[in-house]
Amino acid sequence: MTDIVDHNRHLAAVHAGALVKGDKSVVIAGSSGSGKSTLTMMMCLNGWKFVTDEVVVFSNNVISGAPRAFCLAETLAEKLFGQTVKFVKGIKRDKNYVYINPQQVNIASGGNNSAVTHLIFPKKSLNENKIKQIPLSKAMYLLTDNLFDICCHFKDKLDILIDNIENVSAAELSWNDANSAVKEVADK
């Protein structure tokens, strides 16, 4: 899919999760290990509709997703779901992970073709949960860090991102407790 996006100057794909609840559409962008999947899963378990956990495609002021299985640390998945869910196991960055199909754990999906209202950039913290508003210029910089396959049409990809985020609220989220972090995002 990223090959299609890369060669289409009207689409931009970002490594991110996306969720929808009411009139809010949240994109959680971050590199592997930032807590993107954990926060996306926890928000889904708190009533948000799942769009994607891996690839958000921006186009014509709306997002869509390439839904894939959640990739969670094995210990978190066991804590959340116990033995009731059969996991596909894998190793990523020398840690044990499991892959969970959202339908397998009754996660509601929907929200493709929604306009983005909020961008969240998580980073794990040893301290408290804290959400801090950031300027859109910094959000743009952080989004470009997470673009997929940007070898073609780079300026066009930037224009797409700019068009899609010019009216959103953007924030960095430092977090150490997922449940509290979900509340921070929901209250934003």
Side-chain angles (χ1 to χ4, degrees):
M1 182 179 116
T2 56
D3 285 342
I4 293 169
V5 171
D6 188 40
H7 290 89
N8 185 327
R9 63 181 39 188
H10 303 291
L11 304 173
V14 175
H15 184 219
L19 308 117
V20 174
K21 186 174 189 178
D23 61 351
K24 286 185 181 178
S25 178
V26 176
V27 171
I28 301 174
S31 59
S32 295
S34 66
K36 170 185 65 67
S37 296
T38 299
L39 291 173
T40 301
M41 172 63 82
M42 295 303 291
M43 289 178 73
C44 287
L45 294 175
N46 281 278
W48 290 75
K49 287 186 179 177
F50 175 76
V51 177
T52 185
D53 179 47
E54 191 66 26
V55 180
V56 174
V57 178
F58 290 86
S59 175
N60 299 320
N61 296 322
V62 298
I63 58 164
S64 55
R68 294 189 180 173
F70 282 97
C71 179
L72 297 175
E74 186 174 20
T75 53
L76 175 62
E78 287 174 352
K79 181 179 174 183
L80 291 174
F81 305 110
Q83 298 301 317
T84 61
V85 176
K86 183 177 170 124
F87 303 123
V88 175
K89 296 184 179 190
I91 296 177
K92 186 166 86 172
R93 294 182 320 278
D94 297 327
K95 293 183 180 177
N96 291 332
Y97 281 81
V98 296
Y99 299 91
I100 303 170
N101 180 327
Q103 296 168 337
Q104 198 177 5
V105 290
N106 297 316
I107 298 285
S109 62
N112 267 329
N113 301 316
S114 298
V116 179
T117 60
H118 294 76
L119 288 169
I120 304 293
F121 299 94
K123 58 182 177 181
K124 291 183 182 173
S125 169
L126 297 176
N127 302 320
E128 64 199 11
N129 291 323
K130 181 180 174 187
I131 195 160
K132 179 179 97 176
Q133 196 78 21
I134 59 172
L136 289 180
S137 57
K138 183 167 185 179
M140 188 65 187
Y141 172 79
L142 293 170
L143 276 178
T144 58
D145 266 358
N146 293 289
L147 274 170
F148 278 107
D149 300 325
I150 56 173
C151 65
C152 300
H153 313 293
F154 184 69
K155 183 185 174 304
D156 294 325
K157 304 298 182 190
L158 291 179
D159 288 341
I160 291 164
L161 291 177
I162 289 167
D163 288 346
N164 280 271
I165 71 166
E166 64 186 350
N167 296 312
V168 304
S169 169
E172 287 182 313
L173 172 67
S174 298
W175 69 280
N176 66 350
D177 173 64
N179 288 319
S180 298
V182 167
K183 184 173 176 0
E184 291 277 349
V185 173
D187 291 345
K188 186 79 183 126

